[in-house]
């Protein structure tokens, strides 16, 4: 089991879902990013042990551009920048609550 920080819950001031307990192995991995099935059709993508996206599918294309560090040329620019922003937000929230940021070991 892995405990991950959910920055979206912090930004929405939701105390009950600030941390997720992930009990399965990743369904997709690329570089620092790991995607976990969180519910029936719900996935969370983590960079280290910080959630950067919550989606209804595995965002392989997004993860590929994040790993490459290249801004996409199409409509997905928003998703790219939002994932980067979520990571930065998560780092701040982690520091504020004393959450140790580390690689996920399964």
């Amino acid at each position: 089991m892995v405990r991950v920080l959910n920055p979206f819950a912090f930004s929405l001031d939701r105390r009950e879902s600030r941390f997720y307990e992930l009990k399965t192995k990743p369904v997709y991995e690329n570089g620092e990013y790991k995607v976990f099935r969180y519910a029936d059709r719900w996935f969370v993508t983590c960079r280290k042990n910080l959630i950067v996206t919550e989606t209804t599918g595995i965002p392989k294309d997004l993860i590929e551009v994040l790993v490459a560090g290249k801004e996409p040329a199409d409509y997905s620019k928003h998703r790219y920048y939002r994932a980067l922003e979520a990571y930065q937000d998560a780092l701040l929230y982690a520091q504020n609550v004393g959450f140790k940021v580390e690689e996920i070991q399964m």
Side-chain angles (χ1 to χ4, degrees), residues 40-83:
D40 183 36
R41 292 188 298 177
W42 192 257
F43 296 86
V44 294
T45 300
C46 298
R47 180 175 176 188
K48 298 187 178 181
N49 58 343
L50 306 172
I51 295 174
V52 295
T53 65
E54 296 178 302
T55 55
T56 56
I58 300 170
K60 289 181 182 179
D61 293 341
L62 173 62
I63 293 169
E64 287 175 11
V65 294
L66 287 165
V67 168
K70 296 176 103 177
E71 176 187 289
D74 60 8
Y75 66 92
S76 62
K77 280 184 196 180
H78 172 73
R79 292 177 58 207
Y80 174 81
Y81 284 111
R82 185 62 190 112

Side-chain angles (χ1 to χ4, degrees), residues 10 12 16-17 19-22 30 33-35 37 43 46 57 60 65-68 71 77 82 87 90-91 98 100:
F10 278 88
L12 296 170
E16 70 280 353
S17 59
F19 302 95
Y20 289 174
E21 302 290 336
L22 303 176
N30 188 343
Y33 297 88
K34 292 179 174 48
V35 181
R37 182 181 300 273
F43 296 86
C46 298
K60 289 181 182 179
V65 294
L66 287 165
V67 168
E71 176 187 289
K77 280 184 196 180
R82 185 62 190 112
Y87 182 70
L91 288 172
K100 186 177 178 184

